[in-house]
Amino acid sequence: MAMFCTDIDGTLLNPDRTLSLRTIDAVRAIRAAGHAFVLCSSRMPESMRILERLYGGADEPLIAYNGGLVLSRSGSVVHDVAIAPEHARTVAEYCTDVELHASFFAGENWHVWGNDSWTAREINNTGVSPHSMSSKQYISSGRVDAHPPHKIMCMGEETLVDGIEALLSSVPGVVTYRSKDTYLEIANSACSKGLGVEAAAEELGYDKGDCYFFGDNYNDIPAFAAVGTSIAVANSKQAVLDAATVTTGRHHDDGVAAFLETWLAEAER
């Protein structure tokens, strides 16, 4: 048996930012044959579950927040690497001073700066609604200490995002990722998709050689080192293509599904 693990955005989704019928059918076939199919993303768990429901995969582990939080099949936490509360406060202070949106993702909860265009865009992208407690309340109430964030997303004008990126560049224990000019993702520097994949594989009892990972971007490369076979979709960054064992079709051409179909056909011969 094998464990197939995949990134979501830029790897698995079609142009409508959901799963194509071909992908749904391919994943269902893999699961029906007894193999595992695990999602691994910077997204929060509920956003990933929305996709899982399309193919009936709610009984698999989830690797959320780029490996910062791994949930077992039963939903229990098996790997947890959150951002230190003092680092979260540093981000909140900067964003308050310059009026930059900061979303704090802590476990199952998403705390937003306010009812602004950035919040609306992320609701549309992920299908998830934010918690009733705002980011500022999350910090000021002290909830950040009991439930520190696994991810912070700063969104706004490029120059303001430049500022928080520069500020955090000298802070040990924090790593930043510029997904867009106007987006900065922040995580604990000990967090990685590779460690997340290893935790999921251990939870399910798979050896490294029986694990596969699909990716497209720089933050997927650590996961490539944690599996026996790494697969880059054709639209990947060049460094990802270079690091992969195999290349499949573009995300918008159902590259993941194409690989799964071929693999399963060969495995069943």
Side-chain angles (χ1 to χ4, degrees), residues 87-102:
H87 295 153
R89 289 192 178 90
T90 296
V91 174
E93 289 170 4
Y94 172 90
C95 292
T96 298
D97 290 343
V98 302
E99 298 184 359
L100 176 67
H101 179 110

Side-chain angles (χ1 to χ4, degrees), residues 23 37 40 48 63 67 71 88 115 121 145 149 160 165 176 188 202 242 248 253 256 261 263:
T23 296
F37 189 81
C40 177
M48 300 166 75
I63 305 171
L71 302 178
N115 187 22
R121 181 179 297 182
D145 295 298
L160 300 181
E165 185 176 32
T176 62
N188 188 311
E202 182 177 357
D242 292 342
T248 187
D253 295 327
V256 173
E261 290 164 354
W263 186 92

Side-chain angles (χ1 to χ4, degrees), residues 25 31 37 46 55 59 83 89 112 155 157 166 169 171 206 212 217 266:
D25 287 344
R31 286 171 42 78
F37 189 81
E46 183 55 30
Y55 56 83
D59 57 344
I83 299 167
R89 289 192 178 90
V112 300
M155 298 176 279
E157 294 180 15
S169 66
V171 175
Y206 285 97
Y212 296 72
N217 219 328
E266 293 177 351

